[in-house]
């Protein structure tokens, strides 16, 4: 008990050390993914189901292995006996005690069942493979959500940084307006307008910080199973092109949805073979060793014992079963055709989605390039406008318009970079490349 308490104390201390570190230092995307893969409940459930499928995939479940069974029993009775023999003796007694004991060890082995055991064995192997693919899909889904939320946090963080820089500009604008008003070169209206815009920007900043905290709670739940840990993320996103159209087309076969559809198609094939096995006879081998003993307090037989081995072959052939096997075979063939159509449909949908998503990815990259150029122009225009505003060469409305242009350009660039990472993540998921 003492050792268990020590382990718990160490584990809790380790957990709080990690959470404290995450709350202070920015966590990388790779670190966030690694933590989520360790902690996520849904993924642990998927892995447990995979273990069950692996256990079920063995020769015994398929029917290849023999069965050995031992049975034993004993019964007691009080009987009324009336017996007459050919010698003329008569036995007539009531409430005669008797008992019967029996024991047996039986061995059975199916030697041939119309190849059903072979089809079942292959089917169980495919079911295990399907469970592996489902685990992979669970990992992909988790990684996708971690990446999406991570990028969302970075986006909001960049918006907060922009809002803080804009707040400084609005404060400077208010100071200039107050100085001009004090010098008598402007009316008090510019000061009031500058104060109103400053208040609006302050409110925007508060909303963004609230959004960031809420996103942190959701991210902490996803990564650490603890929404109370405010995980800090990095400040920037790398939007360098990582994907080309050739790789998109080549990696389509790695998609987990296609793998799942292909596995279901194979399972339907083996199910059809299982159904067809009903047309064939079944042959088995059986052997047993039996012991039986009967005791009676009165009667013709006071004690009787039988024991010894029995063995032999069994054969059966279902000549007519109301067309049940025929219906099963037809149903399995229809299901197999449905699985083929599903596979073709998934293939077509994914190919379309991949090409469409790739075009969106290319478009988002181009938008990032254009917005980066717009930022440079807007920054220069804002610098000039602030100088002219201080000299009284432009009015408050003109300065505000330049500020708005700079702000919009910054927000569009942040959004464009976020859109690139989301479309890139979607492309990687469609290609089955989120986990490598």
């Amino acid at each position: 008990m003492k050792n268990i308490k020590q382990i718990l104390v160490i584990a809790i201390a380790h957990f709080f050390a990690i959470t404290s570190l995450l709350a202070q230092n920015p966590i990388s995307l790779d670190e966030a993914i690694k933590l989520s893969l360790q902690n996520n409940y849904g993924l642990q459930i998927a892995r447990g189901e995979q273990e069950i499928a692996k256990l079920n995939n063995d020769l015994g479940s398929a029917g290849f292995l023999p069965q050995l069974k031992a049975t034993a029993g004993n019964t007691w009775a009080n009987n009324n006996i009336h017996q007459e023999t050919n010698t003329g003796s008569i036995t007539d007694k009531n409430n005669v005690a008797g008992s019967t004991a029996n024991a047996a060890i039986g061995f059975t082995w199916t030697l041939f069942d119309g190849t059903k055991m072979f089809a079942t064995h292959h089917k169980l192997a495919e079911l295990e493979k399907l469970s592996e693919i489902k685990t992979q899909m669970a990992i992909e889904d988790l990684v996708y959500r971690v990446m999406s939320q991570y990028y969302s946090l970075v986006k909001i963080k960049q918006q907060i940084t922009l809002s803080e820089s804009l707040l400084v500009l609005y404060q400077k604008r208010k100071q200039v307006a107050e100085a001009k008003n004090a010098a008598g070169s402007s009316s008090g209206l510019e000061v009031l307008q500058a104060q109103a815009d400053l208040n609006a920007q302050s409110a925007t900043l508060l909303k963004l910080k609230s959004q960031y905290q809420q996103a942190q709670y959701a991210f902490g739940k996803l990564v650490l199973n603890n929404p109370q840990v405010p995980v800090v993320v990095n400040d920037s996103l790398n939007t360098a092109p990582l994907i080309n159209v050739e790789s998109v087309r080549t990696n389509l076969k790695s998609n987990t949805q296609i793998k799942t559809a292909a596995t279901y198609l194979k399972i339907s094939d083996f199910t059809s073979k299982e159904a067809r096995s009903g047309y064939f006879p079944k042959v088995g081998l059986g052997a047993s060793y039996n012991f039986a003993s009967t005791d009676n307090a009165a009667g013709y037989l006071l004690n009787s014992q039988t024991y010894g081995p029995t063995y032999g072959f069994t054969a059966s052939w279902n000549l007519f079963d109301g067309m049940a096997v025929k219906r099963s075979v037809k149903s399995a063939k229809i299901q197999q055709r449905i699985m083929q159509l599903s596979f073709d449909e998934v293939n077509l949908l994914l190919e379309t989605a991949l090409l469409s998503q790739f075009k969106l990815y290319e478009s988002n990259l181009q938008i990032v390039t254009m917005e980066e150029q717009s930022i440079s122009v807007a920054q220069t225009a804002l610098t000039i406008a602030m100088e002219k505003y201080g000299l009284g060469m432009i009015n408050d409305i003109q300065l505000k318009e330049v500020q708005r242009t700079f702000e919009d350009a910054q927000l569009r660039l942040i959004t464009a970079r976020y859109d690139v990472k989301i479309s890139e993540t979607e492309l990687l998921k469609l290609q089955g490349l989120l986990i490598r």
Side-chain angles (χ1 to χ4, degrees), residues 274-280 282 317-329:
E274 285 180 327
R276 287 198 298 270
S277 69
Y279 287 128
F280 300 94
K282 295 176 174 58
W317 196 348
N318 197 345
L319 300 177
F320 183 75
D321 61 353
M323 311 291 284
V325 174
K326 187 176 182 179
R327 287 193 298 271
S328 296
V329 171

Side-chain angles (χ1 to χ4, degrees), residues 17 35 51 57 69 72 113 127 131 150 207 230-231 241 246 249 285 297 302 369 383 390 404:
L35 287 170
E51 290 181 10
N57 180 24
K69 184 184 294 185
D113 64 351
L127 286 171
S131 70
Y150 188 93
K207 290 180 181 178
V231 182
E246 288 78 14
R249 289 170 177 162
L285 172 66
L302 298 180
T369 301
T383 301
R404 180 64 63 187

Side-chain angles (χ1 to χ4, degrees), residues 166-220:
L166 290 173
L167 196 63
V168 173
L169 288 176
Y170 281 111
Q171 289 172 341
K172 185 176 180 180
R173 173 184 153 196
K174 179 188 174 186
Q175 291 171 358
V176 172
E178 289 174 340
K180 289 169 65 177
N181 185 57
S185 58
S186 68
S187 65
L189 182 61
E190 290 184 354
V191 177
L192 295 176
Q193 186 61 52
Q195 182 64 55
D197 291 341
L198 178 61
N199 292 341
Q201 190 58 46
S202 299
T204 299
L205 180 59
L206 288 175
K207 290 180 181 178
L208 286 171
K209 288 183 176 179
S210 176
Q211 290 178 14
Y212 186 71
Q213 289 178 342
Q214 293 175 33
Q216 279 185 310
Y217 295 149
F219 195 66

